[in-house]
């Protein structure tokens, strides 16, 4: 049996490989975090399929969601494939397709408006406009940097990510607000949402700023994170157009099955439909 050991050099090479593959920075960070977590659990031991299976069991024993476990396994399997340790790769957990979304994760339009009001009341204009931009276009938080002065002037943002190019149309009202904000900040070209030092906003910073609104807005923290604004956009867009293929194009999904996840109703809504069947005497 080969003596496979995790090393700093191997992890660094894997990171460089992910960058060459043009993975999103957030995905690279997620993969490396999972690898580091496994390395800490392994405590210097040899990487074997048995060890990976044991780690898989330990993740489940911690009560992690199956999707979370699969995400960590995906990172580790990717590392093993890159290093040529194919015999160490393990199978993912088989997930049954969900019929509804948990209510404590479902952000409503009313709650979104309360978050905007909380940001406005506290004078956090950048955060308020950022949330409006994400929620009214459905862009990923990693794509916020494509919201430029040029994009606001033309009414469309061209996003180049993961080797794919797509055009996002920007609502006219949003364009006017973006240009007005840019003028106030003396930004004449390039990215509109920047830190005080002129750098791009990070995912963590946006996440942290949104969480800080929860108490004032009266919204559960479990519902407040950037990607949930994208979910709310998808729900509202579909209610208007009723075209899941069009929605998939707008969101930049390669598969309609991915888009379908965004359209899950809450458990309460699902229960209401069951009651409406009136099949119990």
């Amino acid at each position: 049996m080969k003596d496979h050991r995790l090393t700093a050099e191997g992890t660094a090479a894997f990171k460089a490989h992910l960058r060459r593959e043009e993975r999103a920075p957030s995905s690279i960070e997620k993969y490396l975090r999972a690898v580091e977590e496994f390395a800490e659990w392994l405590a210097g031991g040899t990487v074997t399929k048995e060890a990976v299976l044991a780690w898989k069991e330990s993740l489940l024993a911690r009560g992690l969601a199956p999707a979370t476990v699969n995400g960590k396994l995906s990172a580790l399997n990717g590392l093993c494939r890159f290093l040529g340790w194919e015999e160490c790769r393990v199978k993912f957990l088989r997930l049954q397709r969900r019929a509804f979304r948990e209510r404590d994760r479902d952000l409503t339009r009313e709650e979104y408006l309360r978050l905007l009001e909380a940001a406005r009341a506290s004078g956090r204009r950048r955060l308020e406009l950022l949330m409006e931009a994400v929620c009214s276009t459905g862009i990923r938080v990693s794509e916020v940097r494509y919201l430029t002065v040029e994009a606001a002037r033309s009414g469309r943002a061209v996003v180049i990510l993961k080797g794919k190019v797509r055009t996002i149309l920007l609502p006219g009202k949003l364009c006017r607000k973006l240009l007005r904000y840019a003028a106030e900040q003396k930004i004449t070209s390039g990215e509109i949402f920047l830190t005080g030092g002129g750098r791009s906003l990070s995912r963590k910073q946006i996440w942290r700023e949104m969480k800080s609104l929860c108490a004032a807005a009266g919204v559960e923290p479990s519902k407040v994170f950037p990607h949930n604004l994208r979910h709310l956009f998808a729900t509202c867009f579909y209610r208007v157009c009723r075209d899941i293929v069009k929605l998939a194009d707008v969101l930049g999904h390669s598969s309609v099955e991915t888009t379908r996840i965004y359209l899950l109703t809450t458990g309460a809504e699902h229960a209401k439909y069951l009651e409406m069947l009136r099949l119990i005497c």
Side-chain angles (χ1 to χ4, degrees), residues 110-111 113-124 127 209-221 224:
E110 291 69 27
E111 290 169 330
L113 294 176
R114 294 209 303 270
L115 289 170
L116 292 181
E117 177 56 35
R120 188 179 307 120
S122 60
R124 302 167 76 176
L127 179 57
E209 289 190 16
M210 284 184 61
K211 290 288 186 183
S212 70
L213 298 174
C214 294
V219 181
E220 289 296 322
V224 182

Side-chain angles (χ1 to χ4, degrees), residues 3-281:
D3 186 24
H4 298 317
R5 300 278 179 173
L6 282 176
T7 64
E9 292 76 12
T11 302
F14 181 52
K15 180 178 181 180
H17 165 71
L18 293 174
R19 284 177 172 169
R20 287 194 299 272
E21 291 285 308
E22 298 185 30
R23 299 295 184 94
S26 57
S27 297
I28 294 175
E29 181 185 353
K30 182 180 177 182
Y31 268 46
L32 295 179
R33 191 164 56 242
V35 170
E36 289 171 5
E37 184 180 338
F38 173 69
E40 184 177 343
W41 176 87
L42 193 60
T46 302
V47 180
T48 63
K49 183 162 188 172
E50 290 70 26
V52 178
L53 286 171
W55 185 55
K56 178 180 176 181
E57 292 301 322
S58 74
L59 294 175
L60 290 170
R62 283 166 49 191
L64 297 182
T68 300
V69 173
N70 279 349
K72 294 180 184 295
L73 293 178
S74 179
L76 197 54
N77 280 344
L79 174 70
C80 291
R81 183 186 297 111
F82 170 72
L83 295 175
W85 303 347
E86 291 288 342
E87 71 277 13
C88 297
R89 298 174 66 230
V90 299
K91 292 182 179 180
F92 297 120
L93 297 173
R94 295 182 63 182
L95 304 180
Q96 181 179 353
R97 181 179 288 176
R98 297 177 62 186
F100 54 85
R101 196 167 184 230
E102 297 301 330
R103 190 165 187 170
D104 64 353
R105 301 277 289 180
D106 190 57
L107 182 71
T108 66
R109 185 176 185 278
E110 291 69 27
E111 290 169 330
Y112 159 68
L113 294 176
R114 294 209 303 270
L115 289 170
L116 292 181
E117 177 56 35
R120 188 179 307 120
S122 60
R124 302 167 76 176
R125 180 75 182 111
R126 184 185 67 188
L127 179 57
E128 178 192 358
L129 184 55
L130 175 61
M131 290 191 296
E132 283 187 308
V134 173
C135 200
S136 65
T137 61
I139 64 171
R140 300 177 177 91
V141 69
S142 59
E143 298 169 342
V144 166
R145 60 193 173 96
Y146 291 100
L147 293 176
T148 63
V149 173
E150 293 78 8
R153 285 174 181 158
S154 66
R156 57 186 60 200
V158 179
V159 173
I160 306 172
L161 204 63
K162 298 181 179 180
K164 295 186 290 186
V165 180
R166 82 179 196 281
T167 300
I168 298 175
L169 298 181
L170 308 179
K173 187 174 182 179
L174 174 64
C175 289
R176 292 190 291 274
K177 295 180 81 168
L178 288 173
L179 291 173
R180 187 161 55 247
Y181 174 79
E184 293 169 359
Q185 301 299 314
K186 296 181 172 53
I187 300 172
T188 58
S189 65
E191 292 181 57
I192 292 176
F193 295 107
L194 300 169
T195 66
R199 297 189 302 273
S200 300
L201 291 175
S202 69
R203 175 189 298 268
K204 287 183 178 179
Q205 183 173 355
I206 296 172
W207 184 90
R208 186 169 58 248
E209 289 190 16
M210 284 184 61
K211 290 288 186 183
S212 70
L213 298 174
C214 294
V219 181
E220 289 296 322
S222 61
K223 298 182 177 185
V224 182
F225 50 94
H227 200 69
N228 234 11
L229 297 177
R230 183 166 152 90
H231 273 275
L232 180 57
F233 166 83
T235 302
C236 294
F237 187 94
Y238 183 73
R239 285 174 179 167
V240 171
C241 76
R242 294 289 172 180
D243 187 338
I244 193 170
V245 175
K246 179 64 176 176
L247 177 57
D249 289 340
V250 172
L251 293 176
H253 290 159
S254 301
S255 169
V256 172
E257 287 304 306
T258 303
T259 311
R260 182 184 176 279
I261 297 171
Y262 284 64
L263 301 179
L264 294 177
T265 59
T266 64
E269 234 178 311
H270 189 77
K272 181 179 70 175
Y273 296 147
L274 295 179
E275 293 295 335
M276 290 171 65
L277 297 177
R278 305 176 70 178
L279 294 175
I280 301 176
C281 299

